[in-house]
Amino acid sequence: MIEGMRMDLKKSRYMNFDELYLYCYFVAGTVGLMSVPVMGISPESKATIESVYNAALALGIANQLTNILRDVGEDARRGRIYLPQDELAQAGLSDQDVFDGKVTDKWRNFMKSQIKRAKMFFGKAEKGVTELNQASRWPVWAALLLYRQILDEIEANDYDNFTKRAYVSKTKKLVALPIAFGRSLVSPSSRKLPILGKA
């Protein structure tokens, strides 16, 4: 995690997703991994320890990717771009397009692919939450559902993450909490939970 903080001091571009993934792993994936012993794994869980840790890692990556997509405009004003350079180029976009901050069809298409990948990591993370100790499941489910909704808000803002900061309203937060609580009641032994695209 400390190495990830150091990266922020010396690196402001990421050539591809492999580089970005490593950054996300350092600054957020490690938090997910360190949280597993604190949260605890349910005695009823039949999952491998590796799979639970992989899910925790995926949640950290998903959260950090969400931060990056939410904060594109804010980061650009600081001269930083946390988006894969090769994927920007493939979409017909450049650093200057990010700095100019104009929502175009190219930008929308690019953002759709970035959001899809972040949601894929949230999907991987879901598989591990049910394996945690029951007391830990509700806050983790709540965090997962609420953070994933930030991606929905970016979509609702027509992919304008240059001038609009995507956030989840208090009403939506209140709606998500009982959903998270309901999911937290599902024990590992009875888990047959559909992965939802939106909470």
Side-chain angles (χ1 to χ4, degrees):
M1 186 168 66
I2 292 170
E3 182 57 32
M5 302 301 140
R6 288 193 178 118
M7 285 175 76
D8 262 334
L9 296 174
K10 59 189 178 183
K11 195 171 177 68
S12 62
R13 299 290 187 280
Y14 294 84
M15 297 310 298
N16 51 48
F17 184 69
D18 285 345
E19 282 192 9
L20 184 62
Y21 179 90
L22 185 61
Y23 169 74
C24 291
Y25 169 76
F26 283 151
V27 299
T30 53
V31 177
L33 296 175
M34 288 186 286
S35 297
V36 174
V38 177
M39 300 294 181
I41 299 174
S42 171
E44 302 169 1
S45 175
K46 293 181 174 62
T48 64
I49 291 176
E50 182 183 9
S51 70
V52 176
Y53 273 91
N54 282 340
L57 172 59
L59 183 56
I61 300 293
N63 286 346
Q64 188 61 29
L65 290 175
T66 300
N67 284 340
I68 288 168
L69 298 179
R70 180 194 62 196
D71 298 339
V72 167
E74 187 179 318
D75 289 331
R77 287 187 284 279
R78 294 178 176 145
R80 309 184 73 81
I81 298 177
Y82 290 92
L83 302 167
Q85 293 282 301
D86 60 343
E87 294 178 22
L88 277 170
Q90 287 164 15
L93 297 163
S94 65
D95 285 2
Q96 193 58 50
D97 290 311
V98 178
F99 292 136
D100 289 344
K102 292 179 182 175
V103 179
T104 62
D105 285 341
K106 286 181 182 178
W107 180 254
R108 290 184 187 94
N109 290 332
F110 172 75
M111 282 304 303
K112 286 175 186 176
S113 66
Q114 300 301 306
I115 288 172
K116 181 179 179 181
R117 177 161 53 208
K119 286 185 176 181
M120 181 263 296
F121 279 102
F122 278 120
K124 289 182 177 180
E126 283 196 8
K127 297 174 184 175
V129 185
T130 307
E131 308 302 332
L132 299 175
N133 275 330
Q134 185 170 5
S136 303
R137 288 179 215 145
W138 188 16
V140 177
W141 269 121
L144 188 156
L145 295 177
L146 290 171
Y147 236 79
R148 187 169 57 194
Q149 282 190 37
I150 293 172
L151 300 173
D152 300 333
E153 296 302 320
I154 295 172
E155 292 171 333
N157 287 340
D158 193 29
Y159 306 97
D160 182 1
N161 44 3
F162 298 117
T163 63
K164 296 178 182 177
R165 184 177 174 86
Y167 70 95
V168 181
S169 69
K170 287 182 181 177
T171 303
K172 289 183 178 178
K173 287 178 182 176
L174 290 172
V175 169
L177 290 177
I179 295 172
F181 182 71
R183 290 186 173 202
S184 73
L185 298 177
V186 177
S187 65
S189 57
S190 64
R191 171 166 61 101
K192 286 208 174 183
L193 190 66
I195 294 176
L196 302 179
K198 296 184 181 182

